[in-house]
Amino acid sequence: MTSSSARAAASGLSAGDGVPGGAARFGGGETSDRADSPGWSDDDDALVSSVEEVLRRECPPGADPSGERRRELWSTVGELGWPALGVPERAGGIGAAPVLSARVLEKAGAALFPAPLLSTAVATAVLARLETSGPEGDRARDDACTRIVAGAAATVAIAGRAEWDGHRLTGTLRDVMDLPHAEVLVVIGHPAGGGASLALLVDPAAGIVRTPPTIDPTRPLGTVEFAGAPAIPLGTGVNHGLDLATVLVAAELVGIAARALEIAVEHAATRTQFGRPIGAFQGVKHRLADVYVAVERARGLVYAAAETDFGPADLDATPIPVAMAKAAATEAALFATRAAIQVNGALGVTAERGLVPLLRRARQGGQLFGDARTHYTTVARALVAAGQEPSA
């Protein structure tokens, strides 16, 4: 297929005066909503559809993202079992496949869901994939999962300069997603004397929490200072969980990109200039076709990565699909939101359109667990190490 025919097929826009298909032909169609996974079932489809309906009802465009409303939303989705999706069945969770969690988070991203669903999903991804550290760690891990199923919000922090002496954690943790709302805090760090990375369970109330202003007011990034806070070792093998956590962040970014594209196409199909919808002009429709391709590329990479075996046996193969998914999703979200603002013109920066909040979430999410440049560098190094030459 030639470049021009690929654009036409992707866009659903003709070279004539009309804009056939409209927004329904971009993203959001049956081929995009159905996950082509061997383990995907009609029940999974029904769950994703119910998630869409709840988000449509509870998080309409322009909805109040304040603290009280955020707590109400969290209570609502807790009753529906969304936080329990990634929790193992042994701890009372659903034990859903990663691809289903990714689909739910894509929908949440499109709705700019303000409650701590992503941070909790990231925490459960780490908790569910830890290698055992003994009976005490197993009990603490299962207890943390049980609390999440019961409605406790959770999050993950990278220890950075914080030190663990085998019993207590001392130091400062920065840029912790949804920290002010978290009741369960999983800290990834190293023992003071060196050794493999491990996960620690720490009570966030044992430290001093601060919430500096961030680019996205609906998702605070907190800082917490600990001075000898009790920290229970949960287990090692944290990389497997962090890989899945990266994929889940990428899934939300895909949802953001898809929503921005939907808004842009709707405007392009209804806004007229010189007696024609602006979507009939090549400068607009080709740009939207490029966005569509970027969104679908990112979506495919995210779901391929979600189906990766995150266990120890596939350790060497995991980084490339995960890195590609996060890099592509980051690029797609930023490209889609910026293009949508441009297509909407002056309306693109108004509260009515809701594109600026999408851009803010895309910019913040793009930095979580590594930006596009970091992940493309990971892919390039892996290919070089394998004796392959990265393509331009």
Side-chain angles (χ1 to χ4, degrees):
M1 182 180 289
T2 65
S3 176
S4 59
S5 60
R7 288 186 180 211
S11 68
L13 302 177
S14 71
D17 292 342
V19 187
R25 296 285 293 275
F26 266 105
E30 289 184 5
T31 56
S32 294
D33 274 356
R34 174 94 186 183
D36 295 325
S37 169
W40 194 260
S41 68
D42 290 339
D43 288 341
D44 295 332
D45 271 332
L47 188 147
V48 172
S49 296
S50 70
V51 167
E52 285 186 289
E53 180 58 34
V54 170
L55 292 172
R56 192 178 300 115
R57 182 180 68 248
E58 302 290 344
C59 295
D64 176 25
S66 65
E68 182 59 35
R69 180 57 182 154
R70 188 181 293 117
R71 285 187 288 272
E72 293 174 358
L73 287 172
W74 185 245
S75 176
T76 297
V77 301
E79 293 173 359
L80 295 173
W82 295 6
L85 276 175
V87 176
E89 293 184 50
R90 68 173 186 274
I94 297 173
V99 69
L100 179 56
S101 295
R103 290 294 292 126
V104 170
L105 286 166
E106 180 185 340
K107 298 300 181 182
L112 281 182
F113 191 68
L117 183 63
L118 177 62
S119 60
T120 300
V122 164
T124 57
V126 173
L127 288 170
R129 285 158 182 80
L130 290 174
E131 297 175 3
T132 182
S133 65
E136 182 183 5
D138 289 346
R139 284 194 298 270
R141 181 176 57 186
D142 289 345
D143 178 66
C145 288
T146 301
R147 291 172 62 193
I148 291 171
V149 172
T155 191
V156 170
I158 306 300
R161 297 182 179 179
E163 294 185 356
W164 180 64
D165 63 5
H167 302 281
R168 297 182 177 274
L169 184 69
T170 299
T172 302
L173 309 179
R174 303 183 186 280
D175 298 327
V176 185
M177 183 168 42
D178 286 320
L179 178 62
H181 315 302
E183 299 175 52
V184 175
L185 175 60
V186 179
V187 179
I188 309 299
H190 298 272
S197 297
L198 76 165
L200 307 170
L201 182 64
V202 188
D203 182 0
I208 301 175
V209 176
R210 297 185 178 86
T211 310
T214 60
I215 189 172
D216 181 5
T218 66
R219 175 169 290 159
L221 299 178
T223 296
V224 57
E225 296 179 17
F226 291 116
I232 303 173
L234 299 175
T236 57
V238 298
N239 288 339
H240 313 320
L242 291 177
D243 285 338
L244 177 54
T246 303
V247 173
L248 298 179
V249 173
E252 187 191 61
L253 288 168
V254 169
I256 293 168
R259 176 57 182 153
L261 177 60
E262 181 182 3
I263 295 172
V265 171
E266 181 179 1
H267 181 73
T270 56
R271 173 76 166 90
T272 59
Q273 190 69 31
F274 305 111
R276 303 166 64 185
I278 65 171
F281 296 100
Q282 288 188 356
V284 174
K285 66 180 178 181
H286 284 187
R287 186 167 182 81
L288 293 181
D290 288 341
V291 173
Y292 174 82
V293 170
V295 172
E296 291 303 314
R297 170 179 177 264
R299 180 179 280 130
L301 287 168
V302 166
Y303 294 132
E307 292 181 341
T308 300
D309 180 1
F310 290 94
D314 204 32
L315 179 61
D316 293 336
T318 298
I320 289 181
V322 170
M324 285 297 299
K326 180 56 165 60
T330 297
E331 289 183 330
L334 292 173
F335 181 32
T337 50
R338 289 166 177 165
I341 290 173
Q342 184 179 31
V343 168
N344 277 265
L347 290 174
V349 296
T350 62
E352 176 186 355
R353 280 293 187 268
L355 287 168
V356 173
L358 286 170
L359 175 59
R360 288 173 174 169
R361 181 68 66 87
R363 286 175 62 89
Q364 186 191 77
Q367 299 297 315
L368 295 173
F369 295 95
D371 60 10
R373 180 187 294 272
T374 299
H375 286 293
Y376 279 135
T377 300
T378 297
V379 173
R381 288 175 175 169
L383 293 178
V384 170
Q388 302 180 39
E389 183 176 346
S391 60

